């Protein structure tokens, strides 16, 4: 499997290990394709290339040799139970995640977590360097692996290296809290192309570079000094990620999916309006704000449980992290209170579903929902908003979209809202419920044009084109740093 011209490095492999239930999970099993936005976004890229994917198999202490799955070469990186606790649950998700999401929750800075982060990033970097062909391309994905680009560059300067940041990059006033702020910036600058979801994120990154490293930044280009006195240019700019829109369109056309959408409405008592939220159970997603607004609309008598139902899908996430355990308790307590106050024998105010669903079921939910509520307090992109739009082949439905998502930069025909403003959120929900079909159609057609034109194919092509330009730049003689 050595000698891959194109290598993706991500925290997870694009597959999950499913043990046989007959032996209690200790014996034989099989691999299956993983759900999730990153896999969905990168799968079309991998199918076009004879490359390799480096990542963790998803279970602690699982030692697996490189193997092929569904036409993709997979290179597993083993993590111990301590690695998962310190590198992943600790530094990645209890330090970086809250810090980069505007400190919605308080980040914790522990040196033992940082040490594990460095150690595990080195393991990923070594695996990528070992499998990449001479002069090949490596594309590193996301915040768990911010040190990997520089580590790869140190051992394999022949490679062209890209990095894509799937979550927000914070303003300098927040980023500067990080004790290891310089090391992270230097790790990211090991890449030739550094991609962000929003123009604002790229700007925040460039400001941190100027403030901390004092490197020259001009437009999207950063001048990076090398140890031998030469300089090179790193490109840092926005490449908004998207979805495979055509796959959602095709699924929405299927008679069985459309029939399932009708079944969903019937199972909810055929309310006049179905509101839908689909999120990972995460404090950045604004689920509590959404429930508060919906509960107050019921209390105010502006909506009635007989006519309006909220379906909230909250898929499990980081269930061993204390803040997520507390969040689940708070949300389920709120749902129970609202339902207890407003449910009737025939209708439920909130249908709460703490589980993940296959894509067919999600598209059926999208078709059944009259209003999609995306109220994230901070989000790198939010692909669910785009999935809803792509699925609405009937040009109906209303997207209520937080202005703090990356998707709001692109989806200007949505009803955009500040989810912290509960009164404004309530007003926007009422506007969505009452929106005439003609306005729904006008807005949805504009949204669909944007999502279909700017699909995942265009995202990956634009980033890979930038990497190819960086490869051509590497062939030129190095520039000497000026005094």
């Amino acid at each position: 499997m050595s000698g891959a011209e194109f290598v993706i490095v991500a925290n997870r492999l694009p597959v999950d290990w499913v043990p046989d239930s007959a032996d209690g999970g200790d014996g034989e099993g099989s691999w299956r394709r993983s759900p999730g936005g990153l896999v969905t976004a990168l799968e079309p890229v991998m199918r076009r290339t004879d490359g390799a994917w480096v990542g963790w198999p998803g279970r602690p202490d699982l030692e697996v040799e490189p193997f092929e799955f569904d036409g993709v070469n997979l290179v597993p990186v083993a993590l111990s139970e301590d690695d998962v606790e310190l590198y992943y649950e600790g530094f990645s998700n209890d330090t970086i995640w809250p810090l980069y999401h505007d400190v919605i929750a308080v980040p914790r800075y522990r040196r033992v977590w940082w040490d594990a982060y460095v150690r595990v990033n080195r393991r990923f970097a070594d695996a990528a360097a070992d499998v990449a062909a001479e002069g090949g391309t490596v594309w590193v994905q996301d915040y768990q692996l911010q040190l990997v680009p520089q580590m790869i560059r140190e051992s394999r300067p022949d490679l062209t290296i890209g990095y894509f940041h799937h979550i927000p990059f914070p303003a300098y006033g927040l980023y500067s809290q990080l004790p290891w702020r310089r090391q992270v910036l230097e790790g990211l600058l090991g890449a030739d192309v550094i991609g962000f979801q929003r123009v604002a994120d790229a700007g925040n990154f460039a400001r941190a570079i100027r403030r901390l490293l004092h490197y020259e930044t001009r437009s999207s280009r950063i001048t990076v000094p090398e140890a031998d006195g030469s300089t090179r240019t790193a490109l840092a700019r926005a490449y908004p990620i998207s979805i495979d829109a055509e796959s959602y369109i095709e699924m929405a056309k299927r008679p069985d999916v459309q029939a399932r959408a009708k079944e969903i409405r019937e199972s909810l008592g055929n309310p006049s309006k179905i509101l839908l939220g689909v999120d990972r159970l995460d404090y950045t997603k604004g689920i509590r704000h959404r429930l508060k607004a919906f509960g107050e609309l019921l209390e105010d008598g502006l909506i009635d449980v007989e006519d309006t139902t909220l379906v909230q899908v909250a898929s499990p996430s980081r269930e061993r992290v204390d803040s997520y355990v507390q969040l689940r308790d708070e949300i389920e307590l709120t749902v129970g209170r609202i339902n207890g106050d407003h449910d009737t024998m025939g209708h439920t105010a909130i249908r709460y579903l703490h589980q993940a669903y296959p894509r067919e079921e999600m598209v059926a939910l999208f078709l059944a929902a009259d209003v999609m509520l995306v109220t994230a307090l901070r989000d790198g992109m939010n692909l669910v908003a785009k999935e809803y739009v792509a699925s609405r082949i009937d040009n109906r439905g209303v997207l209520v979209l937080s202005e703090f998502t990356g998707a709001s930069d692109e989806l200007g025909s949505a009803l955009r809202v500040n989810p912290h403003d509960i009164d404004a959120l309530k007003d926007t929900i009422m506007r969505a419920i009452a929106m005439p079909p003609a306005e729904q159609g006008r807005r949805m057609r504009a949204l669909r044009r944007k999502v279909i034109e700017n699909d995942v194919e265009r995202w990956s092509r634009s980033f890979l084109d930038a990497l190819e330009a960086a490869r051509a730049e590497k062939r030129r003689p190095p520039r000497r740093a000026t005094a």
Side-chain angles (χ1 to χ4, degrees), residues 374-453:
V374 177
T375 57
L377 308 180
R378 197 74 168 91
D379 217 337
M381 176 53 61
N382 195 284
L383 296 180
V384 167
K386 296 186 175 185
E387 291 167 1
Y388 177 73
V389 168
S391 301
R392 294 311 303 229
I393 58 176
D394 58 354
N395 289 317
R396 290 292 180 269
V398 183
L399 175 61
V400 174
L401 182 60
S402 165
E403 62 191 59
F404 302 116
T405 64
S408 71
D409 288 358
E410 299 178 83
L411 305 182
S413 295
L415 296 184
R416 288 186 284 189
V417 68
N418 174 3
H420 297 281
D421 185 345
I422 300 298
D423 286 335
L425 181 53
K426 289 163 62 178
D427 290 344
T428 305
I429 291 173
M430 291 306 300
R431 182 182 171 193
I433 289 172
M435 185 177 291
E439 184 180 353
Q440 289 184 37
R442 187 167 61 251
R443 288 176 176 272
M444 188 56 70
R445 279 190 290 271
L447 291 170
R448 286 175 56 74
R449 277 196 300 272
K450 184 71 73 170
V451 169
I452 292 169
E453 289 172 6

Side-chain angles (χ1 to χ4, degrees), residues 272-290:
S272 299
K273 297 292 180 180
I274 296 175
L275 281 56
L276 176 63
V278 175
D279 312 88
R280 280 189 309 101
L281 188 64
D282 193 289
Y283 49 76
T284 65
K285 300 299 184 181
I287 300 173
R288 287 176 290 196
H289 297 63
R290 186 183 312 159

Side-chain angles (χ1 to χ4, degrees), residues 150-334:
Q150 181 60 27
M151 291 175 171
I152 293 176
R153 178 171 291 277
E154 289 169 355
S155 63
R156 292 290 305 275
D158 59 294
L159 298 175
T160 301
I161 305 166
Y163 171 88
F164 188 76
H165 198 72
H166 292 256
I167 68 173
F169 194 91
Y172 181 75
L174 296 177
Y175 180 76
S176 61
Q177 295 180 23
L178 184 66
W180 308 278
R181 56 197 186 183
R182 292 179 64 92
Q183 294 96 312
V184 169
L185 292 181
E186 289 165 351
L188 293 172
L189 283 176
D192 298 289
V193 180
I194 306 152
F196 298 92
Q197 300 280 25
R198 310 179 80 164
V199 172
D201 295 323
N204 288 341
F205 176 72
R207 278 186 286 276
I209 294 295
R210 290 195 297 271
R211 293 285 295 272
L212 289 170
L213 303 182
H214 308 295
Y215 295 169
E216 179 185 356
T217 65
R218 183 173 299 174
S219 185
S220 299
R221 299 186 176 276
I222 300 168
T223 302
V224 183
E226 299 280 62
D228 64 359
S230 65
T231 64
R232 63 181 178 85
T233 298
L235 180 67
R237 53 159 294 194
Y239 297 89
I241 199 170
S242 194
I243 62 170
D244 182 8
E246 192 58 38
S247 69
Y248 284 88
I249 293 169
E250 291 302 316
M251 199 167 291
K253 291 177 179 178
R254 282 170 38 182
D256 61 317
V257 174
Q258 295 180 6
R260 176 61 186 146
K262 292 179 181 178
E263 287 179 5
I264 290 171
R265 293 196 74 97
E266 290 170 2
S267 70
L268 296 171
N270 282 314
S272 299
K273 297 292 180 180
I274 296 175
L275 281 56
L276 176 63
V278 175
D279 312 88
R280 280 189 309 101
L281 188 64
D282 193 289
Y283 49 76
T284 65
K285 300 299 184 181
I287 300 173
R288 287 176 290 196
H289 297 63
R290 186 183 312 159
L291 295 177
K292 182 175 180 60
F294 186 76
E296 288 188 10
L297 288 173
L298 288 166
E299 289 287 344
D300 297 344
L302 294 173
I303 59 175
D304 187 275
V305 71
E306 301 282 337
D307 301 319
T308 307
T309 295
L310 170 62
V311 177
Q312 176 61 57
V313 177
S315 59
S317 174
R318 299 165 190 158
E319 295 189 291
R320 302 201 309 180
V321 178
D322 288 344
S323 58
Y324 288 79
V325 175
Q326 180 181 347
L327 174 65
R328 180 179 178 182
D329 289 344
E330 290 177 10
I331 288 175
E332 292 180 356
L333 185 66
T334 300

Side-chain angles (χ1 to χ4, degrees), residues 330-356:
E330 290 177 10
I331 288 175
E332 292 180 356
L333 185 66
T334 300
V335 170
R337 185 174 64 248
I338 293 172
N339 284 346
D341 289 344
H342 298 285
D343 280 7
T344 65
M345 295 299 289
H347 292 86
T348 295
I350 302 172
R351 182 67 61 86
Y352 173 75
L353 304 162
H354 180 60
Q355 50 198 285

